[in-house]
Amino acid sequence: MVKVLVLGATGYIGFPLCQSLLRANYSVYGLARSEEKALQLARNEIVPVRGSVEDSEAYVKLIRDQRIDIVVDSTSGSESAIRTLENMRVLGMERLEAGKASGWASTKLGYIYVGGMWVHGSSPYPVDDFSPVGSADARASPPSVVEWRPAVERLILANQDVLDVMIVRPAVVYGRDNPLWAFLFQPLLTAALEGTETASVKADPDAMIPLVHLDDTVSGLHQAVERLPLISGAGVWPVFDLMTSRESLRAVVQAMAWALGFCGKVVCAGTGNDALAKAMSCSTRGDSSRARDLLGWQPKIQGMVDGVEKYALSFRMGPFANATT
């Protein structure tokens, strides 16, 4: 049975990924910062590992003792990503050296990094998995909130000598209770509850953003886990963007306003100096054909605006909405 450790196992993407892998009979371990989070994992048949990406002793020991096959890093942050990669390299070298000493060929430790398509920045030109990011020949610079990520990606790719690596970049993820959208949706809900005539949001009115539903994100990562042993060592570029639609941010915001009960005027007032708003307004012409062809990814949900009523309900009933304004 393949053993997978998910870093960020209680998070927005990590937890449903763990559940998806369990349904496919993987042995799934999850990193948990607290006893409460560890109990959450255990109740869902995920073996909890107490610790964090900063306090890595417990998960490093687990990888050694249980001989974990693949680690999926669904956390975020520049320092934690580099620290995790350093640990993976040490563990990967240990595994290869132990195999060499025993006279048996050893498989590499697998490492899948969950990034994001924001690294492409905002550009009218088409981009794909092969497009350079964060370099002089890139189409655009990534927004400031992820300006560190291209360097992390380069480090990951440089470790293919000791690790089986893959980078999976979801587009802007929607569905369920993603807190990323709250700064756009809360002003609409507040306006609906207060009965005001105008609602202003921090968004570029001309932005055309790449989108992917949470369920399709998880299915793409599941396929990445399944295909990693086949792709590694085969000369395949191990970077895959995941997107299912490219939609007008203005149209998404307007549709959400109606779904939340606001019938007044919605103003996309630009992003100003708001770093997150600038990132959310990145216009990216992406392509996920390689994920479909090589990973066998089969996304099911093809647009945010079409299902906006259920996403509005999810937001309003979720933990990130202030519905008592």
Side-chain angles (χ1 to χ4, degrees), residues 243-255:
M243 65 173 287
T244 52
S245 64
R246 183 171 181 258
E247 301 182 52
S248 162
L249 183 55
R250 180 200 289 271
V252 170
V253 169
Q254 183 63 73

Side-chain angles (χ1 to χ4, degrees), residues 159-182:
N159 277 277
Q160 294 180 79
D161 58 330
V162 295
L163 298 169
D164 284 342
V165 304
M166 187 181 294
I167 298 169
V168 180
R169 302 178 183 143
V172 180
V173 184
Y174 65 96
R176 310 295 189 272
D177 54 355
N178 189 351
L180 192 65
W181 292 90

